Amino acid sequence: MVVSKTKRAWQRMLSGRRLDLLDPSALDVELEDIAHGLARVARWNGQTKGPHAFSVAQHSILVWQIFCRLNPNASPKWQQMALLHDAPEYVIGDLISPFKAAVGGDYKALEERLLGAIHLRFGLPANTPQVLKPKIKKADTIAAYFEATHLAGFSESEGVQFFGRPRGISANKLDLKPVPPTEAQVNFTELFKTIETRI
Protein backbone atom coordinates (compact mmCIF):
# COMPACT_ATOMS: atom_id res chain seq x y z
CA MET A 1 0.00 0.00 0.00
CA VAL A 2 1.31 3.46 -0.94
CA VAL A 3 0.76 6.13 1.70
CA SER A 4 0.75 9.74 0.54
CA LYS A 5 3.54 11.83 2.07
CA THR A 6 1.59 15.02 1.41
CA LYS A 7 0.55 16.57 4.70
CA ARG A 8 -3.20 16.93 5.04
CA ALA A 9 -4.24 20.46 5.96
CA TRP A 10 -7.99 20.08 5.63
CA GLN A 11 -10.74 18.96 7.98
CA ARG A 12 -13.64 16.86 6.74
CA MET A 13 -16.96 18.06 8.12
CA LEU A 14 -20.07 15.99 8.72
CA SER A 15 -21.76 18.05 6.00
CA GLY A 16 -19.26 16.53 3.57
CA ARG A 17 -17.31 19.78 3.16
CA ARG A 18 -13.52 19.75 3.30
CA LEU A 19 -12.24 22.94 4.90
CA ASP A 20 -8.63 23.81 4.06
CA LEU A 21 -7.11 25.23 7.25
CA LEU A 22 -4.29 27.02 5.44
CA ASP A 23 -6.44 28.54 2.69
CA PRO A 24 -10.05 28.38 3.89
CA SER A 25 -12.83 29.06 1.42
CA ALA A 26 -16.19 30.54 2.35
CA LEU A 27 -17.72 27.93 0.03
CA ASP A 28 -16.70 25.20 2.49
CA VAL A 29 -18.27 26.84 5.54
CA GLU A 30 -21.68 25.61 6.74
CA LEU A 31 -23.66 26.85 9.75
CA GLU A 32 -24.53 23.26 10.73
CA ASP A 33 -20.83 22.34 10.93
CA ILE A 34 -20.02 25.41 13.01
CA ALA A 35 -22.86 24.77 15.47
CA HIS A 36 -22.05 21.06 15.71
CA GLY A 37 -18.36 21.69 16.35
CA LEU A 38 -18.72 24.58 18.80
CA ALA A 39 -21.30 22.63 20.84
CA ARG A 40 -18.71 19.89 21.35
CA VAL A 41 -15.70 22.05 22.20
CA ALA A 42 -15.32 22.64 25.95
CA ARG A 43 -14.43 25.99 27.43
CA TRP A 44 -11.71 26.00 30.13
CA ASN A 45 -10.39 22.65 28.84
CA GLY A 46 -13.48 21.06 30.39
CA GLN A 47 -12.51 22.16 33.91
CA THR A 48 -15.98 23.45 34.77
CA LYS A 49 -18.72 22.48 37.21
CA GLY A 50 -21.79 20.55 36.13
CA PRO A 51 -22.69 17.31 34.41
CA HIS A 52 -21.78 18.76 30.98
CA ALA A 53 -18.94 20.87 29.67
CA PHE A 54 -19.69 24.55 29.12
CA SER A 55 -19.25 24.63 25.36
CA VAL A 56 -17.93 27.31 23.05
CA ALA A 57 -21.43 27.41 21.52
CA GLN A 58 -22.79 28.41 24.93
CA HIS A 59 -19.95 30.87 25.43
CA SER A 60 -20.73 32.44 22.04
CA ILE A 61 -24.37 32.91 23.03
CA LEU A 62 -23.28 34.39 26.37
CA VAL A 63 -20.97 36.88 24.63
CA TRP A 64 -23.83 37.81 22.30
CA GLN A 65 -26.14 38.39 25.31
CA ILE A 66 -23.60 40.66 27.00
CA PHE A 67 -22.73 42.44 23.76
CA CYS A 68 -26.41 43.24 23.16
CA ARG A 69 -26.84 44.53 26.71
CA LEU A 70 -23.85 46.83 26.31
CA ASN A 71 -24.77 47.83 22.74
CA PRO A 72 -28.58 47.84 22.55
CA ASN A 73 -28.58 49.59 19.16
CA ALA A 74 -26.10 47.21 17.52
CA SER A 75 -27.07 46.19 14.00
CA PRO A 76 -27.93 42.56 13.27
CA LYS A 77 -24.66 42.24 11.32
CA TRP A 78 -22.68 43.38 14.36
CA GLN A 79 -24.68 40.96 16.51
CA GLN A 80 -23.83 38.16 14.08
CA MET A 81 -20.13 39.01 14.28
CA ALA A 82 -20.34 38.97 18.09
CA LEU A 83 -21.99 35.52 17.99
CA LEU A 84 -19.36 34.25 15.54
CA HIS A 85 -16.35 35.75 17.33
CA ASP A 86 -15.00 32.29 18.29
CA ALA A 87 -16.40 30.41 15.28
CA PRO A 88 -12.94 29.24 14.06
CA GLU A 89 -12.82 27.03 17.15
CA TYR A 90 -15.24 24.62 15.47
CA VAL A 91 -12.17 23.52 13.53
CA ILE A 92 -9.16 24.36 15.71
CA GLY A 93 -10.62 23.91 19.21
CA ASP A 94 -10.49 26.31 22.13
CA LEU A 95 -6.92 26.84 23.24
CA ILE A 96 -6.65 28.58 26.60
CA SER A 97 -5.12 32.08 26.52
CA PRO A 98 -1.79 31.08 28.12
CA PHE A 99 -1.27 28.47 25.40
CA LYS A 100 -2.15 30.96 22.63
CA ALA A 101 0.44 33.35 24.05
CA ALA A 102 3.05 30.59 24.00
CA VAL A 103 2.25 29.58 20.41
CA GLY A 104 2.48 33.13 19.13
CA GLY A 105 1.47 34.90 15.91
CA ASP A 106 1.13 31.92 13.57
CA TYR A 107 -1.88 30.67 15.51
CA LYS A 108 -3.52 34.10 15.41
CA ALA A 109 -3.00 34.40 11.65
CA LEU A 110 -4.63 30.99 11.10
CA GLU A 111 -7.55 31.94 13.32
CA GLU A 112 -8.06 35.23 11.48
CA ARG A 113 -8.05 33.53 8.04
CA LEU A 114 -10.69 31.09 9.23
CA LEU A 115 -12.84 33.87 10.72
CA GLY A 116 -12.55 35.84 7.48
CA ALA A 117 -13.86 32.87 5.46
CA ILE A 118 -16.70 32.38 7.96
CA HIS A 119 -17.66 36.06 7.76
CA LEU A 120 -17.67 36.00 3.97
CA ARG A 121 -19.86 32.89 3.95
CA PHE A 122 -22.58 34.82 5.76
CA GLY A 123 -22.22 38.11 3.88
CA LEU A 124 -20.22 39.89 6.57
CA PRO A 125 -17.00 41.89 6.12
CA ALA A 126 -14.01 39.53 6.09
CA ASN A 127 -12.33 41.63 8.79
CA THR A 128 -14.19 42.72 11.90
CA PRO A 129 -14.45 46.54 11.77
CA GLN A 130 -11.92 48.22 14.07
CA VAL A 131 -14.70 50.09 15.88
CA LEU A 132 -16.41 46.78 16.68
CA LYS A 133 -13.41 44.75 17.88
CA PRO A 134 -13.12 46.36 21.36
CA LYS A 135 -16.87 46.07 21.89
CA ILE A 136 -16.81 42.32 21.22
CA LYS A 137 -13.61 41.94 23.26
CA LYS A 138 -15.25 43.68 26.22
CA ALA A 139 -18.26 41.34 26.08
CA ASP A 140 -15.89 38.36 25.72
CA THR A 141 -13.86 39.41 28.77
CA ILE A 142 -16.98 39.93 30.87
CA ALA A 143 -18.22 36.48 29.81
CA ALA A 144 -14.86 35.01 30.82
CA TYR A 145 -15.15 36.63 34.26
CA PHE A 146 -18.59 35.11 34.90
CA GLU A 147 -17.58 31.71 33.52
CA ALA A 148 -14.40 31.74 35.62
CA THR A 149 -16.16 32.66 38.87
CA HIS A 150 -19.36 30.64 38.40
CA LEU A 151 -18.08 27.56 36.59
CA ALA A 152 -14.29 27.26 36.55
CA GLY A 153 -13.48 27.53 40.26
CA PHE A 154 -11.94 31.02 40.27
CA SER A 155 -12.51 33.14 43.36
CA GLU A 156 -14.04 36.57 42.82
CA SER A 157 -10.67 38.22 43.56
CA GLU A 158 -8.98 35.96 40.97
CA GLY A 159 -11.67 36.82 38.46
CA VAL A 160 -11.10 40.52 39.00
CA GLN A 161 -7.33 40.07 38.81
CA PHE A 162 -7.39 38.26 35.46
CA PHE A 163 -10.48 39.70 33.77
CA GLY A 164 -11.36 42.91 35.60
CA ARG A 165 -14.57 43.67 37.46
CA PRO A 166 -17.58 43.80 35.12
CA ARG A 167 -19.27 47.19 35.06
CA GLY A 168 -22.98 47.49 34.40
CA ILE A 169 -23.49 43.74 33.96
CA SER A 170 -24.51 41.19 36.56
CA ALA A 171 -24.93 37.44 36.31
CA ASN A 172 -28.71 37.86 36.55
CA LYS A 173 -30.42 36.60 33.40
CA LEU A 174 -27.15 35.35 31.92
CA ASP A 175 -27.27 31.72 30.82
CA LEU A 176 -24.41 30.03 32.71
CA LYS A 177 -25.87 26.53 33.09
CA PRO A 178 -23.97 23.92 31.05
CA VAL A 179 -26.28 21.99 28.74
CA PRO A 180 -25.84 18.86 26.60
CA PRO A 181 -24.08 19.36 23.26
CA THR A 182 -27.21 18.68 21.21
CA GLU A 183 -29.09 21.41 23.09
CA ALA A 184 -26.22 23.88 22.75
CA GLN A 185 -26.07 23.12 19.01
CA VAL A 186 -29.78 23.81 18.53
CA ASN A 187 -29.63 26.99 20.64
CA PHE A 188 -26.69 28.37 18.65
CA THR A 189 -28.29 27.53 15.29
CA GLU A 190 -31.67 29.00 16.21
CA LEU A 191 -30.13 32.23 17.55
CA PHE A 192 -28.01 32.64 14.41
CA LYS A 193 -31.04 32.15 12.16
CA THR A 194 -33.13 34.57 14.25
CA ILE A 195 -30.48 37.28 13.89
CA GLU A 196 -30.18 36.51 10.17
CA THR A 197 -33.88 37.21 9.61
CA ARG A 198 -33.33 40.78 10.89
CA ILE A 199 -30.61 41.61 8.35
Side-chain angles (χ1 to χ4, degrees):
M1 183 172 101
V2 177
V3 178
S4 171
K5 293 185 179 180
T6 303
K7 291 186 178 179
R8 180 171 65 87
W10 51 265
Q11 163 82 42
R12 183 180 297 283
M13 303 297 167
L14 289 179
S15 66
R17 297 288 188 186
R18 290 198 328 184
L19 183 66
D20 186 330
L21 301 186
L22 301 180
D23 187 21
S25 167
L27 298 174
D28 293 321
V29 173
E30 297 291 347
L31 175 62
E32 294 75 17
D33 293 330
I34 294 171
H36 182 94
L38 294 184
R40 287 157 179 80
V41 174
R43 288 278 290 168
W44 308 94
N45 280 341
Q47 298 298 309
T48 50
K49 299 173 185 174
H52 305 285
F54 191 79
S55 70
V56 175
Q58 287 191 264
H59 165 75
S60 299
I61 294 170
L62 180 62
V63 169
W64 172 83
Q65 288 178 314
I66 295 168
F67 175 82
C68 289
R69 282 197 197 180
L70 296 175
N71 305 278
N73 297 318
S75 70
K77 286 198 173 195
W78 279 24
Q79 290 184 37
Q80 240 178 4
M81 283 188 271
L83 182 64
L84 291 170
H85 77 285
D86 276 342
E89 294 179 7
Y90 88 104
V91 181
I92 57 179
D94 183 23
L95 300 181
I96 59 173
S97 295
F99 188 82
K100 287 181 182 179
V103 172
D106 288 345
Y107 174 85
K108 192 66 181 169
L110 174 65
E111 194 174 47
E112 286 175 0
R113 282 196 300 274
L114 285 166
L115 185 58
I118 292 164
H119 279 181
L120 290 174
R121 167 64 179 83
F122 299 112
L124 302 169
N127 298 312
T128 304
Q130 287 301 318
V131 68
L132 180 57
K133 281 185 178 181
K135 296 177 187 295
I136 294 176
K137 184 63 179 174
K138 182 175 182 180
D140 193 23
T141 303
I142 292 171
Y145 169 86
F146 286 120
E147 291 172 17
T149 55
H150 285 73
L151 298 169
F154 285 56
S155 67
E156 186 176 338
S157 62
E158 286 174 323
V160 170
Q161 176 186 351
F162 293 112
F163 307 105
R165 186 178 301 282
R167 304 288 182 197
I169 296 283
S170 70
N172 295 340
K173 297 183 181 176
L174 293 179
D175 192 358
L176 289 160
K177 180 184 175 187
V179 299
T182 50
E183 185 176 337
Q185 180 176 345
V186 167
N187 292 344
F188 182 93
T189 302
E190 289 182 350
L191 176 57
F192 183 91
K193 289 181 176 179
T194 298
I195 298 169
E196 197 168 42
T197 63
R198 300 174 186 153
I199 294 177

